[in-house]
Amino acid sequence: MENLLRYLVKFFAGIYFDFKKPSQRKDSYIAVTGKVLDKKELNNMIDATLDMWLTTGRFNDKFEAKMASFLGVKHFLTTNSGSSANLLALTALTSHKLGNRRIKKGDEVITVSAAFPTTISPIVQCGLVPVFADVNVGTYNIEAEQIEECITPKTKAIFLAHILGNPINLGVIQKICQKHNLWLIEDNCDGLGAQYDGKYTGTYGHISTFSFYPAHHITMGEGGALATNDTQLFRIILSFRDWGRDCWCPPGKDNTCKNRFNMQLGNLPFGYDHKYTYSHLGFNLKITDWQAACGLAQTDKLLGFIAAREKNFNNLFLGLKQFEKYFILPSWEAGAKPCWFGFPLTVKADAGFDKISLCKFLESKGIGTRQLFTGNILRQPAFTDDDISFRIRNSELLSSRDLGPQHYAMLPNTDTVMNYTFWIGVWPGITQEGIERIIAAFGEFINSQKK
Ligand SMILES: Cc1ncc(COP(=O)(O)O)c(C=O)c1O
């Protein structure tokens, strides 16, 4: 009876879905990103609703197991956004449980300032010092050969995104991490499905992070995750995610440790309930089972999404190559197989037009454009209007209040990205007709500039 009733609810919801197609845009605008959903996501979310479990539950268990197996990692743990995943990743490395490997206030973390903001904000929020290296114009990732000059005795970690799904130079970066005993955090929020040396990105770092916001390769509305092969790090991340508790019982379960009233922890009385024992001062950053239900249906489509992104990227690349005189086309490291989040282009300084005029033109033709996130975060009000300590490459400790042209000059490519780089979409919802429209619009703009 229950199954029949579930079937009927889903059947009628499916009729509504077919009638309304709620996840599809009704106009011809070619958005830079978007979600591809069908009745499978809806059915799973209805099942999650009928369960009325509400918090992290059976769909989450399946989603985590499926993603761990897809990536080939030991632990995959969901959280409510990619930004939360980044915060948890870095916070985990400050845990007292890591002994002398723990990152302490004032320690330094190497990153880049042409970035998504929440790759950088956890560094400052954890009381650490970001150290900025420059990026390459073409890959838009760190100039790996600058990393060594950033290192001081205070350097404890490298925290970098595979920006727009383009893998960082993991070969060089892993060697540096080993040589200097540094933690590596991969922000893989843009890069699910990308590979380096035949292995998925998000499997190289001590901790890696993922985003399932609708713009990303798979979605659950809002959502994120962390991956690690290190069981101690997994337990620490779990603790920080779930209020800081020492207990690892899933929602609705008790006494998983079989020692619930039988431990001496901290200065608490012997046998104080393990469920209410806190080894960290944590957060609550879990997801609901509706989110997991949606994400689980998306995992079945992941390989198809990866292939569609690759096809769209390749067709755009072929079509835009004729305009190479005006643009720097995207490039990637040897050994890297990007899974593009977007298609980045840098307008050459002598192109004869500026990036904003081109973006405005493309938008007027119904083609979405985006900037490369922060451009240069050191120029954002979050830095210029505050008092943040940081370093640039091998500089002394600087305050954001003192930022001036001499500092920006140390990251010339980052400013080039801010001034000349933008990106357009490659997501699976873009059709071949859309790709042709994009290429034609570039041609039209360039011809109009010649007159
Ligand atoms: C590189 C990168 N890191 C982190 C995030 C944050 O993810 P979320 O939007 O899920 O918080 C994003 C978001 O697009 C991103 O592009």
Side-chain angles (χ1 to χ4, degrees):
M1 186 63 178
E2 191 198 333
N3 285 347
L4 174 66
L5 289 174
R6 277 190 186 246
Y7 170 79
L8 287 174
V9 174
K10 288 191 270 194
F11 177 76
F12 285 111
I15 291 176
Y16 172 83
F17 188 95
D18 287 340
F19 170 71
K20 188 85 179 152
K21 303 237 180 321
S23 70
Q24 285 172 23
R25 276 188 82 111
K26 303 289 179 283
D27 56 25
S28 62
Y29 185 73
I30 304 175
V32 280
T33 60
K35 53 192 186 293
V36 178
L37 304 171
D38 63 30
K39 281 191 280 192
K40 294 207 178 86
E41 284 79 7
L42 181 66
N43 281 346
N44 269 11
M45 291 174 82
I46 289 170
D47 266 331
T49 306
L50 296 176
D51 286 355
M52 293 295 272
W53 181 251
L54 312 187
T55 183
T56 309
R58 69 178 173 113
F59 284 101
N60 185 68
D61 291 347
K62 281 194 186 149
F63 178 76
E64 287 181 343
K66 220 165 158 194
M67 288 303 294
S69 140
F70 174 82
L71 292 166
V73 290
K74 232 189 205 167
H75 305 287
F76 190 86
L77 185 78
T78 54
T79 184
N80 60 3
S81 72
S83 303
S84 298
N86 283 349
L87 177 63
L88 281 168
L90 201 54
T91 307
L93 298 179
T94 68
S95 168
H96 59 88
K97 295 209 175 227
L98 294 171
N100 60 12
R101 296 181 69 215
R102 158 190 207 183
I103 304 184
K104 293 214 215 61
K105 287 214 175 346
D107 282 344
E108 296 178 353
V109 179
I110 296 171
T111 189
V112 292
S113 64
F116 196 80
T118 53
T119 314
I120 296 161
S121 47
I123 304 175
V124 177
Q125 287 155 353
C126 287
L128 310 172
V129 175
V131 180
F132 298 105
D134 209 359
V135 292
N136 175 272
V137 182
T139 68
Y140 306 100
N141 281 318
I142 194 163
E143 291 276 22
E145 56 279 12
Q146 284 183 17
I147 296 177
E148 290 269 4
E149 68 171 301
C150 297
I151 295 175
T152 71
K154 282 182 173 273
T155 309
K156 293 289 150 51
I158 297 180
F159 190 176
L160 291 166
H162 303 291
I163 212 77
L164 296 179
N166 193 10
I168 54 175
N169 190 336
L170 281 160
V172 169
I173 292 169
Q174 270 202 315
K175 277 199 195 106
I176 294 174
C177 286
Q178 276 152 15
K179 180 172 161 202
H180 297 275
N181 201 16
L182 306 178
W183 296 105
L184 174 61
I185 308 176
E186 279 178 81
D187 175 338
N188 200 38
C189 289
D190 289 353
L192 178 58
Q195 296 183 22
Y196 187 87
D197 274 353
K199 241 178 72 174
Y200 285 121
T201 57
T203 63
Y204 283 83
H206 294 94
I207 306 176
S208 304
T209 64
F210 299 80
S211 167
F212 306 122
Y213 187 74
H216 288 275
H217 297 50
I218 58 170
T219 188
M220 53 174 67
E222 299 289 350
L226 302 98
T228 182
N229 285 314
D230 182 322
T231 301
Q232 187 190 23
L233 287 178
F234 166 69
R235 284 268 169 87
I236 294 170
I237 296 164
L238 186 68
S239 168
F240 275 112
R241 189 197 66 172
D242 299 0
W243 306 280
R245 66 187 186 158
D246 202 64
C247 158
W248 56 90
C249 286
K253 291 262 166 21
D254 292 333
N255 206 17
T256 313
C257 64
K258 309 261 186 321
N259 254 329
R260 184 172 164 195
F261 296 109
N262 203 23
M263 282 192 264
Q264 175 66 64
L265 291 166
N267 288 336
L268 293 165
F270 178 81
Y272 192 81
D273 191 348
H274 192 217
K275 237 178 146 49
Y276 286 90
T277 302
Y278 301 93
S279 40
H280 299 102
L281 297 176
F283 313 101
N284 174 5
L285 301 173
K286 297 194 299 300
I287 64 169
T288 66
D289 229 26
W290 288 290
Q291 288 163 286
C294 178
L296 183 64
Q298 290 264 290
T299 57
D300 290 336
K301 301 176 175 133
L302 179 53
L303 287 175
F305 288 163
I306 293 169
R309 283 177 180 274
E310 188 177 3
K311 181 168 164 232
N312 281 344
F313 178 87
N314 288 342
N315 287 337
L316 266 181
F317 195 94
L318 281 177
L320 294 177
K321 207 165 163 38
Q322 60 185 305
F323 306 124
E324 218 167 356
K325 184 170 154 211
Y326 306 97
F327 300 107
I328 298 171
L329 292 172
S331 55
W332 48 96
E333 304 286 349
K337 187 167 188 282
C339 183
W340 294 99
F341 178 57
F343 191 105
L345 282 162
T346 298
V347 177
K348 288 187 175 168
D350 59 357
F353 54 83
D354 65 280
K355 145 175 109 163
I356 297 299
S357 313
L358 172 58
C359 288
K360 277 188 187 160
F361 178 84
L362 292 172
E363 295 280 353
S364 78
K365 293 280 166 187
I367 295 162
T369 62
R370 287 286 182 278
Q371 305 302 300
L372 202 125
F373 306 133
T374 59
N376 183 351
I377 204 167
L378 291 170
R379 290 184 182 268
Q380 293 276 354
F383 263 76
T384 58
D385 300 359
D386 203 350
D387 186 7
I388 296 169
S389 295
F390 64 96
R391 290 197 307 105
I392 301 176
R393 300 173 61 175
N394 56 2
S395 80
E396 73 281 15
L397 196 63
L398 301 166
S399 157
S400 54
R401 291 231 180 274
D402 304 328
L403 268 165
Q406 73 278 24
H407 301 120
Y408 297 126
M410 295 177 77
L411 300 171
N413 292 350
T414 302
D415 268 359
T416 298
V417 167
M418 179 187 64
N419 290 320
Y420 299 100
T421 305
F422 69 103
W423 56 277
I424 51 179
V426 296
W427 64 287
I430 301 181
T431 59
Q432 183 55 28
E433 190 199 337
I435 298 288
E436 282 159 23
R437 250 181 69 203
I438 295 173
I439 296 164
F442 273 83
E444 196 184 330
F445 178 80
I446 285 164
N447 281 337
S448 74
Q449 299 300 302
K450 286 181 190 156
K451 285 173 194 149

